[in-house]
Amino acid sequence: MRTPFVAANWKMNKTLPEALNFLQAIAGKLPNQAEVEALICAQSLFLSQMMAVTKDEPIKIGAENVFWHDQGAFTGETSPKAVASLGVDYVIIGHSERRKYFRETDEMVNNKVQAVLRNGMRAIICVDETMGQREANEKVHWVVSQVIEALKGVAIEDADKITIAYEPSWAIGAAAASAKEAEDGCYLIRQTVADMFSDEAADQVRVLYGGSVKPSNQAELMAMPNIDGVLVGDASLNPDIFLQLVNYQQK
Ligand code: 13P
């Protein structure tokens, strides 16, 4: 059985004091990790402080991006080795905003996935689909090809370190996909993992849906057979709403 996963992506929001206030507000109110795994991915510059104040809480702190080289002359980049040295477990890779604003290609995403695994961390790989692609009915090819490219060269033994998030960019910060649309995307992703690796690997890999998730639509989404959790942007910035998300009632 795959543990339900509620992951926050704070994006480029919050200062250090705001992040620490948030963590203070949720302390002692989080669910048991065996029931729901909770994660907050935040800007790398204060991951260390966030980890220190949550060390006794059932929550993990993750990064939103890393570079693919471990070290070297890459001014301004974030080293995966340095992030791993903080004890960080999860890194989001290939978010649609990085693909769009920073021109990240499938090849870069693949290099970053390898860097995350090489440094002993887990990758949350985002795959995306624009409204244009959806309307042109290219969804199948597009999502499948991003999964295939992202997982190239990944060893089957590392399958349990991979989480894939179906995040159609038309549903981010807009109207969420319906539970059926989200399930279709997540099903496709799991099938692709089964084709590339094995049915057992596909069974282990957690697949999340992201795009305008809120407490009001979360339970319906997470009741779908191939949706193991959610990756939440806006709604995760408020501690009360985040607590509702991690303490959701299964349908
Ligand atoms: P919203 O929840 O704000 O739509 O963002 C989704 C997202 O991009 C999570 O990675």
Side-chain angles (χ1 to χ4, degrees), residues 7-11 92 95-97 126 165 167-169 171-176 209-214 230-237:
N9 174 10
W10 278 359
K11 308 190 179 183
I92 297 176
H95 192 277
S96 61
E97 287 149 17
C126 297
E167 291 214 323
S169 41
I172 296 177
Y209 164 76
S212 303
V213 174
K214 300 175 181 58
V230 285
L231 182 57
V232 191
D234 252 17
S236 74
L237 293 169

Side-chain angles (χ1 to χ4, degrees), residues 17-89:
E18 286 167 353
L20 296 180
N21 282 343
F22 179 107
L23 296 176
Q24 206 166 29
I26 63 168
K29 299 175 189 156
L30 293 159
N32 182 322
Q33 289 218 71
E35 278 153 37
V36 178
E37 195 174 337
L39 169 74
I40 298 175
C41 294
Q43 299 176 71
S44 293
L45 76 167
F46 41 71
L47 292 179
S48 169
Q49 287 99 322
M50 290 178 70
M51 291 185 69
V53 301
T54 53
K55 69 178 184 332
D56 298 324
E57 292 286 332
I59 189 159
K60 295 202 169 96
I61 304 297
E64 297 175 11
N65 177 41
V66 288
F67 193 47
W68 58 81
H69 283 295
D70 287 354
Q71 61 209 24
F74 304 104
T75 303
E77 278 296 340
T78 303
S79 150
K81 190 174 169 189
V83 169
S85 76
L86 304 177
V88 166
D89 208 10

